[in-house]
PDB file of all heavy atoms in Angstrom:
ATOM      1  N   TRP A 352     111.986 185.353 117.476  1.00 80.00           N
ATOM      2  CA  TRP A 352     112.562 184.684 116.290  1.00 80.00           C
ATOM      3  C   TRP A 352     113.249 183.395 116.734  1.00 80.00           C
ATOM      4  O   TRP A 352     113.462 182.448 115.886  1.00 80.00           O
ATOM      5  CB  TRP A 352     113.548 185.581 115.557  1.00 80.00           C
ATOM      6  CG  TRP A 352     114.785 185.894 116.336  1.00 80.00           C
ATOM      7  CD1 TRP A 352     115.015 186.915 117.176  1.00 80.00           C
ATOM      8  CD2 TRP A 352     116.007 185.117 116.313  1.00 80.00           C
ATOM      9  NE1 TRP A 352     116.250 186.860 117.714  1.00 80.00           N
ATOM     10  CE2 TRP A 352     116.930 185.784 117.193  1.00 80.00           C
ATOM     11  CE3 TRP A 352     116.425 183.974 115.703  1.00 80.00           C
ATOM     12  CZ2 TRP A 352     118.173 185.307 117.420  1.00 80.00           C
ATOM     13  CZ3 TRP A 352     117.716 183.489 115.883  1.00 80.00           C
ATOM     14  CH2 TRP A 352     118.582 184.157 116.748  1.00 80.00           C
ATOM     15  N   LEU A 353     113.687 183.257 117.980  1.00 85.00           N
ATOM     16  CA  LEU A 353     114.353 182.022 118.429  1.00 85.00           C
ATOM     17  C   LEU A 353     113.481 180.800 118.261  1.00 85.00           C
ATOM     18  O   LEU A 353     113.959 179.684 118.034  1.00 85.00           O
ATOM     19  CB  LEU A 353     114.778 182.198 119.858  1.00 85.00           C
ATOM     20  CG  LEU A 353     115.929 183.162 120.198  1.00 85.00           C
ATOM     21  CD1 LEU A 353     116.071 183.357 121.666  1.00 85.00           C
ATOM     22  CD2 LEU A 353     117.219 182.687 119.550  1.00 85.00           C
ATOM     23  N   GLY A 354     112.160 181.007 118.377  1.00 86.00           N
ATOM     24  CA  GLY A 354     111.251 179.867 118.186  1.00 86.00           C
ATOM     25  C   GLY A 354     111.290 179.326 116.778  1.00 86.00           C
ATOM     26  O   GLY A 354     110.983 178.149 116.558  1.00 86.00           O
ATOM     27  N   MET A 355     111.617 180.176 115.797  1.00 92.00           N
ATOM     28  CA  MET A 355     111.668 179.723 114.407  1.00 92.00           C
ATOM     29  C   MET A 355     112.897 178.856 114.121  1.00 92.00           C
ATOM     30  O   MET A 355     112.926 178.183 113.115  1.00 92.00           O
ATOM     31  CB  MET A 355     111.659 180.935 113.470  1.00 92.00           C
ATOM     32  CG  MET A 355     110.357 181.721 113.453  1.00 92.00           C
ATOM     33  SD  MET A 355     108.927 180.669 112.922  1.00 92.00           S
ATOM     34  CE  MET A 355     109.439 180.105 111.296  1.00 92.00           C
ATOM     35  N   VAL A 356     113.894 178.921 115.044  1.00 92.00           N
ATOM     36  CA  VAL A 356     115.111 178.095 114.798  1.00 92.00           C
ATOM     37  C   VAL A 356     114.755 176.623 114.717  1.00 92.00           C
ATOM     38  O   VAL A 356     115.290 175.901 113.891  1.00 92.00           O
ATOM     39  CB  VAL A 356     116.068 178.347 115.949  1.00 92.00           C
ATOM     40  CG1 VAL A 356     117.281 177.369 115.871  1.00 92.00           C
ATOM     41  CG2 VAL A 356     116.615 179.791 115.904  1.00 92.00           C
ATOM     42  N   PHE A 357     113.789 176.183 115.609  1.00 95.00           N
ATOM     43  CA  PHE A 357     113.381 174.797 115.581  1.00 95.00           C
ATOM     44  C   PHE A 357     112.836 174.391 114.165  1.00 95.00           C
ATOM     45  O   PHE A 357     113.273 173.377 113.610  1.00 95.00           O
ATOM     46  CB  PHE A 357     112.320 174.518 116.602  1.00 95.00           C
ATOM     47  CG  PHE A 357     111.679 173.180 116.464  1.00 95.00           C
ATOM     48  CD1 PHE A 357     112.236 172.044 117.028  1.00 95.00           C
ATOM     49  CD2 PHE A 357     110.544 172.998 115.698  1.00 95.00           C
ATOM     50  CE1 PHE A 357     111.687 170.796 116.903  1.00 95.00           C
ATOM     51  CE2 PHE A 357     109.962 171.731 115.548  1.00 95.00           C
ATOM     52  CZ  PHE A 357     110.526 170.615 116.131  1.00 95.00           C
ATOM     53  N   PHE A 358     111.914 175.188 113.636  1.00 95.00           N
ATOM     54  CA  PHE A 358     111.285 174.853 112.378  1.00 95.00           C
ATOM     55  C   PHE A 358     112.308 174.895 111.240  1.00 95.00           C
ATOM     56  O   PHE A 358     112.308 174.019 110.358  1.00 95.00           O
ATOM     57  CB  PHE A 358     110.161 175.828 112.107  1.00 95.00           C
ATOM     58  CG  PHE A 358     109.048 175.706 113.094  1.00 95.00           C
ATOM     59  CD1 PHE A 358     108.955 176.618 114.172  1.00 95.00           C
ATOM     60  CD2 PHE A 358     108.084 174.746 113.002  1.00 95.00           C
ATOM     61  CE1 PHE A 358     107.933 176.486 115.095  1.00 95.00           C
ATOM     62  CE2 PHE A 358     107.054 174.609 113.907  1.00 95.00           C
ATOM     63  CZ  PHE A 358     107.014 175.504 114.978  1.00 95.00           C
ATOM     64  N   PHE A 359     113.180 175.864 111.255  1.00 94.00           N
ATOM     65  CA  PHE A 359     114.211 175.985 110.239  1.00 94.00           C
ATOM     66  C   PHE A 359     115.158 174.747 110.256  1.00 94.00           C
ATOM     67  O   PHE A 359     115.444 174.159 109.198  1.00 94.00           O
ATOM     68  CB  PHE A 359     115.020 177.264 110.437  1.00 94.00           C
ATOM     69  CG  PHE A 359     116.171 177.383 109.482  1.00 94.00           C
ATOM     70  CD1 PHE A 359     116.007 177.760 108.195  1.00 94.00           C
ATOM     71  CD2 PHE A 359     117.494 177.110 109.952  1.00 94.00           C
ATOM     72  CE1 PHE A 359     117.082 177.836 107.306  1.00 94.00           C
ATOM     73  CE2 PHE A 359     118.585 177.214 109.089  1.00 94.00           C
ATOM     74  CZ  PHE A 359     118.360 177.591 107.753  1.00 94.00           C
ATOM     75  N   LEU A 360     115.585 174.401 111.463  1.00 95.00           N
ATOM     76  CA  LEU A 360     116.523 173.266 111.551  1.00 95.00           C
ATOM     77  C   LEU A 360     115.870 171.972 111.189  1.00 95.00           C
ATOM     78  O   LEU A 360     116.472 171.140 110.489  1.00 95.00           O
ATOM     79  CB  LEU A 360     117.087 173.191 112.944  1.00 95.00           C
ATOM     80  CG  LEU A 360     118.229 174.115 113.311  1.00 95.00           C
ATOM     81  CD1 LEU A 360     118.631 173.933 114.766  1.00 95.00           C
ATOM     82  CD2 LEU A 360     119.455 173.871 112.428  1.00 95.00           C
ATOM     83  N   LEU A 361     114.645 171.729 111.621  1.00 96.00           N
ATOM     84  CA  LEU A 361     113.979 170.474 111.326  1.00 96.00           C
ATOM     85  C   LEU A 361     113.738 170.346 109.812  1.00 96.00           C
ATOM     86  O   LEU A 361     114.016 169.289 109.231  1.00 96.00           O
ATOM     87  CB  LEU A 361     112.608 170.389 112.046  1.00 96.00           C
ATOM     88  CG  LEU A 361     111.886 169.054 111.843  1.00 96.00           C
ATOM     89  CD1 LEU A 361     112.687 167.897 112.452  1.00 96.00           C
ATOM     90  CD2 LEU A 361     110.486 169.090 112.434  1.00 96.00           C
ATOM     91  N   MET A 362     113.274 171.375 109.175  1.00 96.00           N
ATOM     92  CA  MET A 362     113.036 171.341 107.731  1.00 96.00           C
ATOM     93  C   MET A 362     114.376 171.182 106.968  1.00 96.00           C
ATOM     94  O   MET A 362     114.504 170.441 106.009  1.00 96.00           O
ATOM     95  CB  MET A 362     112.309 172.596 107.256  1.00 96.00           C
ATOM     96  CG  MET A 362     110.853 172.680 107.777  1.00 96.00           C
ATOM     97  SD  MET A 362     109.863 171.263 107.320  1.00 96.00           S
ATOM     98  CE  MET A 362     109.723 170.401 108.931  1.00 96.00           C
ATOM     99  N   MET A 363     115.426 171.887 107.440  1.00 96.00           N
ATOM    100  CA  MET A 363     116.727 171.767 106.825  1.00 96.00           C
ATOM    101  C   MET A 363     117.257 170.345 106.949  1.00 96.00           C
ATOM    102  O   MET A 363     117.836 169.785 106.014  1.00 96.00           O
ATOM    103  CB  MET A 363     117.711 172.753 107.467  1.00 96.00           C
ATOM    104  CG  MET A 363     119.050 172.783 106.742  1.00 96.00           C
ATOM    105  SD  MET A 363     120.171 174.068 107.396  1.00 96.00           S
ATOM    106  CE  MET A 363     120.591 173.397 108.990  1.00 96.00           C
ATOM    107  N   GLY A 364     117.041 169.728 108.131  1.00 96.00           N
ATOM    108  CA  GLY A 364     117.463 168.359 108.340  1.00 96.00           C
ATOM    109  C   GLY A 364     116.769 167.421 107.386  1.00 96.00           C
ATOM    110  O   GLY A 364     117.407 166.500 106.777  1.00 96.00           O
ATOM    111  N   HIS A 365     115.471 167.630 107.144  1.00 96.00           N
ATOM    112  CA  HIS A 365     114.778 166.768 106.169  1.00 96.00           C
ATOM    113  C   HIS A 365     115.253 166.997 104.757  1.00 96.00           C
ATOM    114  O   HIS A 365     115.364 166.036 103.983  1.00 96.00           O
ATOM    115  CB  HIS A 365     113.260 167.037 106.280  1.00 96.00           C
ATOM    116  CG  HIS A 365     112.592 166.277 107.410  1.00 96.00           C
ATOM    117  ND1 HIS A 365     112.697 164.882 107.545  1.00 96.00           N
ATOM    118  CD2 HIS A 365     111.777 166.685 108.444  1.00 96.00           C
ATOM    119  CE1 HIS A 365     112.007 164.513 108.599  1.00 96.00           C
ATOM    120  NE2 HIS A 365     111.481 165.557 109.155  1.00 96.00           N
ATOM    121  N   VAL A 366     115.514 168.235 104.409  1.00 96.00           N
ATOM    122  CA  VAL A 366     115.963 168.552 103.056  1.00 96.00           C
ATOM    123  C   VAL A 366     117.333 167.873 102.830  1.00 96.00           C
ATOM    124  O   VAL A 366     117.606 167.321 101.758  1.00 96.00           O
ATOM    125  CB  VAL A 366     116.033 170.078 102.850  1.00 96.00           C
ATOM    126  CG1 VAL A 366     116.808 170.398 101.542  1.00 96.00           C
ATOM    127  CG2 VAL A 366     114.665 170.685 102.803  1.00 96.00           C
ATOM    128  N   ILE A 367     118.248 167.996 103.830  1.00 95.00           N
ATOM    129  CA  ILE A 367     119.574 167.456 103.654  1.00 95.00           C
ATOM    130  C   ILE A 367     119.545 165.950 103.505  1.00 95.00           C
ATOM    131  O   ILE A 367     120.248 165.370 102.669  1.00 95.00           O
ATOM    132  CB  ILE A 367     120.456 167.828 104.899  1.00 95.00           C
ATOM    133  CG1 ILE A 367     120.746 169.317 104.829  1.00 95.00           C
ATOM    134  CG2 ILE A 367     121.732 167.025 104.920  1.00 95.00           C
ATOM    135  CD1 ILE A 367     121.446 169.837 106.117  1.00 95.00           C
ATOM    136  N   ARG A 368     118.622 165.288 104.261  1.00 95.00           N
ATOM    137  CA  ARG A 368     118.643 163.803 104.260  1.00 95.00           C
ATOM    138  C   ARG A 368     117.737 163.224 103.148  1.00 95.00           C
ATOM    139  O   ARG A 368     117.789 162.021 102.891  1.00 95.00           O
ATOM    140  CB  ARG A 368     118.218 163.264 105.592  1.00 95.00           C
ATOM    141  CG  ARG A 368     116.770 163.490 105.995  1.00 95.00           C
ATOM    142  CD  ARG A 368     116.422 162.679 107.228  1.00 95.00           C
ATOM    143  NE  ARG A 368     116.535 161.256 107.079  1.00 95.00           N
ATOM    144  CZ  ARG A 368     117.391 160.448 107.672  1.00 95.00           C
ATOM    145  NH1 ARG A 368     118.169 160.989 108.612  1.00 95.00           N
ATOM    146  NH2 ARG A 368     117.481 159.157 107.434  1.00 95.00           N
ATOM    147  N   LEU A 369     116.937 164.055 102.457  1.00 96.00           N
ATOM    148  CA  LEU A 369     115.929 163.510 101.527  1.00 96.00           C
ATOM    149  C   LEU A 369     116.662 162.737 100.384  1.00 96.00           C
ATOM    150  O   LEU A 369     116.132 161.647 100.022  1.00 96.00           O
ATOM    151  CB  LEU A 369     115.098 164.652 100.952  1.00 96.00           C
ATOM    152  CG  LEU A 369     113.981 164.206  99.987  1.00 96.00           C
ATOM    153  CD1 LEU A 369     113.042 163.223 100.659  1.00 96.00           C
ATOM    154  CD2 LEU A 369     113.212 165.445  99.502  1.00 96.00           C
ATOM    155  N   SER A 370     117.687 163.262  99.837  1.00 95.00           N
ATOM    156  CA  SER A 370     118.390 162.554  98.750  1.00 95.00           C
ATOM    157  C   SER A 370     118.863 161.174  99.167  1.00 95.00           C
ATOM    158  O   SER A 370     118.750 160.202  98.446  1.00 95.00           O
ATOM    159  CB  SER A 370     119.521 163.387  98.175  1.00 95.00           C
ATOM    160  OG  SER A 370     120.489 163.672  99.189  1.00 95.00           O
ATOM    161  N   ASN A 371     119.441 161.093 100.402  1.00 95.00           N
ATOM    162  CA  ASN A 371     119.888 159.771 100.903  1.00 95.00           C
ATOM    163  C   ASN A 371     118.698 158.851 101.181  1.00 95.00           C
ATOM    164  O   ASN A 371     118.784 157.652 100.903  1.00 95.00           O
ATOM    165  CB  ASN A 371     120.672 159.973 102.177  1.00 95.00           C
ATOM    166  CG  ASN A 371     122.053 160.568 101.962  1.00 95.00           C
ATOM    167  OD1 ASN A 371     122.623 160.427 100.891  1.00 95.00           O
ATOM    168  ND2 ASN A 371     122.574 161.306 102.962  1.00 95.00           N
ATOM    169  N   ASP A 372     117.602 159.412 101.693  1.00 96.00           N
ATOM    170  CA  ASP A 372     116.430 158.578 101.919  1.00 96.00           C
ATOM    171  C   ASP A 372     115.895 158.044 100.588  1.00 96.00           C
ATOM    172  O   ASP A 372     115.509 156.840 100.512  1.00 96.00           O
ATOM    173  CB  ASP A 372     115.337 159.413 102.593  1.00 96.00           C
ATOM    174  CG  ASP A 372     115.669 159.719 104.046  1.00 96.00           C
ATOM    175  OD1 ASP A 372     116.463 159.004 104.633  1.00 96.00           O
ATOM    176  OD2 ASP A 372     115.087 160.727 104.579  1.00 96.00           O
ATOM    177  N   MET A 373     115.870 158.866  99.550  1.00 97.00           N
ATOM    178  CA  MET A 373     115.376 158.413  98.264  1.00 97.00           C
ATOM    179  C   MET A 373     116.311 157.361  97.697  1.00 97.00           C
ATOM    180  O   MET A 373     115.824 156.422  97.026  1.00 97.00           O
ATOM    181  CB  MET A 373     115.182 159.589  97.306  1.00 97.00           C
ATOM    182  CG  MET A 373     113.986 160.482  97.628  1.00 97.00           C
ATOM    183  SD  MET A 373     112.435 159.545  97.746  1.00 97.00           S
ATOM    184  CE  MET A 373     112.293 158.815  96.111  1.00 97.00           C
ATOM    185  N   ARG A 374     117.607 157.535  97.844  1.00 96.00           N
ATOM    186  CA  ARG A 374     118.524 156.496  97.358  1.00 96.00           C
ATOM    187  C   ARG A 374     118.276 155.148  98.065  1.00 96.00           C
ATOM    188  O   ARG A 374     118.304 154.085  97.417  1.00 96.00           O
ATOM    189  CB  ARG A 374     119.981 156.915  97.570  1.00 96.00           C
ATOM    190  CG  ARG A 374     120.511 157.840  96.505  1.00 96.00           C
ATOM    191  CD  ARG A 374     122.058 157.928  96.575  1.00 96.00           C
ATOM    192  NE  ARG A 374     122.472 158.659  97.738  1.00 96.00           N
ATOM    193  CZ  ARG A 374     122.652 159.954  97.813  1.00 96.00           C
ATOM    194  NH1 ARG A 374     122.397 160.699  96.745  1.00 96.00           N
ATOM    195  NH2 ARG A 374     123.057 160.578  98.931  1.00 96.00           N
TER     196      ARG A 374
END
Side-chain angles (χ1 to χ4, degrees):
W352 68 271
L353 290 171
M355 291 302 300
V356 171
F357 169 87
F358 297 96
F359 174 77
L360 280 178
L361 183 65
M362 293 303 107
M363 186 173 72
H365 277 306
V366 169
I367 290 172
R368 68 171 299 117
L369 183 57
S370 59
N371 288 332
D372 289 337
M373 287 306 301
R374 277 196 291 271

